Amino acid sequence: MTDAVETQASLEAVLKDEIIRMYEEVAENPEGDFHFFHGREAAELFGYEADWLDRAPAGAVASFAGVGNPHLRSDLQEGETVLDLGSGAGLDAIIASWGVGPTGKVIGVDLNPSMCLKAQEHAAATGTTMECHEGRMEDIPIPDETVDVVISNGVINLSFRKRKVVEEMFRVLKPGGRISITDIVSAKQLSQSIVNDPKLWAS
Ligand SMILES: C[S@@+](CC[C@H](N)C(=O)[O-])C[C@H]1O[C@@H](n2cnc3c(N)ncnc32)[C@H](O)[C@@H]1O
């Protein structure tokens, strides 16, 4: 391994621990002090319909940690299969499951197995189902050409290997499939002190 590859691998491992810690904290203690918008206030700001937020389990709404509204352009149809990358506590997956209806399917992928369990519990509480796979968006644990739509909300910015994430999205999409993601980008090159700070990268 070269020094650069070794440094990236160790930063990635530290970052994974920090991501797990931070989003578990949002899920366990949504009233806590976070330096990013979250919960119902954030969802309303991004234009989530009040009806969705009233229907979804309070825990999924309170733990919402997205950065935008991928449902505005996902144009989901009955019977489609949707993949939610970084499904967190499940609010976006639950909204997607209403879009594809009982003949459709929603698959979540999250690197944190306890977030997967939480999302599945939240989905079950609304009478919908989602299957959530523990795994990384850089190596999506589902077969080629199996998904109609990929959604994701505030997750791809967390990756050190964004090109690989994009390649993986195209691998799992069926021909003619669609992508609807909301995320954050920086117009400026981030300083090394930010890049090397797992707390800032994770949020
Ligand atoms: C911003 S939240 C997702 C918001 C979610 N859509 C919602 O409805 O609240 C981030 C989630 O992405 C997951 N995550 C972060 N990096 C990941 C990766 N490399 N692969 C898969 N999931 C990841 C985290 O564990 C966390 O649950």
Side-chain angles (χ1 to χ4, degrees), residues 19 23 63-66 84 86-92 109-112 115 135-138 153-155 158:
I19 286 171
Y23 292 101
S63 312
F64 170 73
D84 183 10
S87 37
L91 180 63
D92 288 315
V109 167
D110 203 290
L111 67 78
N112 184 346
M115 294 306 280
R136 305 194 70 129
M137 60 186 160
E138 296 85 353
N153 193 354
V155 184
L158 300 172

Side-chain angles (χ1 to χ4, degrees), residues 12 15-16 19-20 23-24 36 48 60-61 63-67 70-71 84-95 109-113 115-116 133-139 151-161 165 202:
E12 226 177 330
L15 180 62
K16 179 181 174 187
I19 286 171
I20 287 178
Y23 292 101
E24 271 186 9
F36 51 87
Y48 281 52
V61 176
S63 312
F64 170 73
V67 299
H71 311 289
D84 183 10
L85 278 186
S87 37
L91 180 63
D92 288 315
I94 290 167
I95 293 169
V109 167
D110 203 290
L111 67 78
N112 184 346
M115 294 306 280
C116 260
H133 298 265
E134 176 189 353
R136 305 194 70 129
M137 60 186 160
E138 296 85 353
D139 191 13
I151 62 169
S152 184
N153 193 354
V155 184
I156 296 171
N157 70 88
L158 300 172
S159 178
F160 269 96
R161 292 180 286 139
V165 177

Side-chain angles (χ1 to χ4, degrees), residues 140-193:
I140 301 173
I142 61 175
D144 299 357
E145 299 189 4
T146 45
V147 164
D148 297 294
V149 185
V150 177
I151 62 169
S152 184
N153 193 354
V155 184
I156 296 171
N157 70 88
L158 300 172
S159 178
F160 269 96
R161 292 180 286 139
K162 296 177 176 64
R163 183 177 292 272
K164 182 73 180 0
V165 177
V166 173
E167 286 167 5
E168 280 291 275
M169 290 196 286
F170 279 91
R171 178 183 66 76
V172 300
L173 273 177
K174 294 176 187 172
R178 312 186 303 283
I179 295 174
S180 181
I181 58 176
T182 43
D183 222 301
I184 45 178
V185 292
S186 171
K188 284 195 303 193
Q189 178 67 40
L190 297 175
S191 72
Q192 210 52 35
S193 62

